[in-house]
Amino acid sequence: MTDLVEAVGAIADVVAAGRVDGDQDRRLPASTLRALQRSGLLVAKVPTSLGGLEADLPALFEAWEALAFLDGATAWVTGFLGTSAAWPACSP
């Protein structure tokens, strides 16, 4: 599995640069969303058999914490979208 904190580090400049615009526009900038998609953070909880990273909770929490230091809104959206994307794949 990709180290999620390293993935956050790889997009840190984009996330930090979009923070002010995101606050003003009250939504994440498109550049931030594209960076999250490319990093794999939005599919971190999705099973590998479905193209995700199948991350465990401690790894997710560490990544969300690292994102929160850059931009709280980005961390919240990543946690919400990243976890929600996995729900359909988790049914028995």
Side-chain angles (χ1 to χ4, degrees), residues 42-55:
L42 293 179
V43 294
K45 189 65 180 156
V46 174
T48 53
S49 62
L50 297 174
L53 301 177
E54 203 166 324

Side-chain angles (χ1 to χ4, degrees), residues 3-6 8 41 56-69:
D3 180 31
L4 298 179
V5 175
E6 286 181 16
V8 171
L41 290 164
D56 59 17
L57 284 177
L60 287 170
F61 292 155
E62 287 179 19
W64 296 337
E65 180 181 33
L67 274 173
F69 278 107

Side-chain angles (χ1 to χ4, degrees), residues 2 7 14 19 25 30 33-34 36 39 56-58 61-62 72 75 79-80 86 88-89:
T2 304
V14 175
R19 184 180 62 219
D25 297 342
L33 286 172
R34 282 192 301 272
L36 288 169
S39 72
D56 59 17
L57 284 177
F61 292 155
E62 287 179 19
F80 179 75

Side-chain angles (χ1 to χ4, degrees), residues 62-86:
E62 287 179 19
W64 296 337
E65 180 181 33
L67 274 173
F69 278 107
L70 298 169
D71 180 27
T74 298
W76 187 90
V77 168
T78 303
F80 179 75
L81 289 178
T83 302
S84 297

